Amino acid sequence: MDSNGEVVSIIRSYEDFMPYCKFQREEQYDTYQIPLHGFKIAQFNVCLNDEKETMEIEGQRPLDGTRWSRFRQEFKVPCDVYNTEDLDARFGNGVLSIRLPKKKPSNDASDSVVNKSLLLRLKTSKMAILRIAVAVVVGVAVGGYVIFKCLPSNHAIEKH
């Protein structure tokens, strides 16, 4: 309220940013390290959504007056890869560290992972072949056009 008893609304202006994220893969767990210098632990949240298999990190903090800084990042956290119940998040020295322990694969699961990996490589190979084919077709078309436009035609050649 101001001095006249009227309600004054303060409009915040936000500066959105995308914090740097370092991803470290290890044998038993993967770690995300996100520097959030200037933030306090109460100014951001880490939410895990098992249904969507995502982890969302968002936060906001005041800069000065009505200016605020905010961010939102979402990461895929496949439940068949990570043991999300044992997720460990820590915040210290301005850095948020999130450790995701990996599930120990059973024999059936490892076969499935190998099959998925092989399928992904095959799809990638098909895409690469398709891209090469398109590049060849475009190259032939451009070459034909250049030859057609740049070389003299048979009608323009004088016979002696």
Side-chain angles (χ1 to χ4, degrees):
M1 279 201 221
D2 67 3
S3 60
N4 296 332
E6 295 178 12
V7 175
V8 177
S9 64
I10 298 175
I11 300 174
R12 290 181 181 173
S13 65
Y14 289 96
E15 294 180 12
D16 294 329
F17 75 100
M18 180 77 67
Y20 171 77
C21 179
K22 179 181 176 185
F23 180 74
Q24 190 172 1
R25 187 176 301 270
E26 296 187 31
E27 188 175 331
Q28 304 219 349
Y29 54 85
D30 292 338
T31 304
Y32 288 97
Q33 291 184 328
I34 305 165
L36 296 173
H37 300 288
F39 278 83
K40 296 176 184 167
I41 197 164
Q43 295 173 325
F44 62 87
N45 292 315
V46 177
C47 298
L48 191 63
N49 186 329
D50 284 333
E51 272 184 35
K52 292 183 179 179
E53 296 187 338
T54 58
M55 176 176 60
E56 184 178 293
I57 305 164
E58 62 183 3
Q60 61 182 3
R61 70 180 179 96
L63 294 174
D64 58 38
T66 60
R67 288 182 39 233
W68 284 65
S69 177
R70 69 180 176 187
F71 72 95
R72 181 181 177 281
Q73 272 188 297
E74 190 172 285
F75 302 96
K76 275 291 201 192
V77 182
C79 293
D80 61 331
V81 176
Y82 297 109
N83 184 0
T84 56
E85 292 176 6
D86 292 334
L87 178 142
D88 180 44
R90 297 170 189 256
F91 185 66
N93 297 323
V95 178
L96 173 63
S97 294
I98 302 169
R99 179 183 271 183
L100 294 162
K102 294 179 183 177
K103 288 185 175 180
K104 293 186 176 27
S106 66
N107 289 339
D108 295 340
S110 64
D111 291 343
S112 173
V113 170
V114 168
N115 290 337
K116 286 180 184 177
S117 175
L118 180 60
L119 183 61
L120 180 62
R121 280 188 296 203
L122 289 174
K123 285 182 181 178
T124 304
S125 297
K126 286 181 182 178
M127 287 302 296
I129 291 169
L130 181 62
R131 287 183 181 143
I132 291 169
V134 168
V136 168
V137 169
V138 169
V140 169
V142 169
Y145 178 78
V146 168
I147 289 172
F148 178 75
K149 287 294 186 177
C150 295
L151 290 179
S153 66
N154 289 339
H155 301 292
I157 299 175
E158 293 181 21
K159 294 184 179 179
H160 296 293

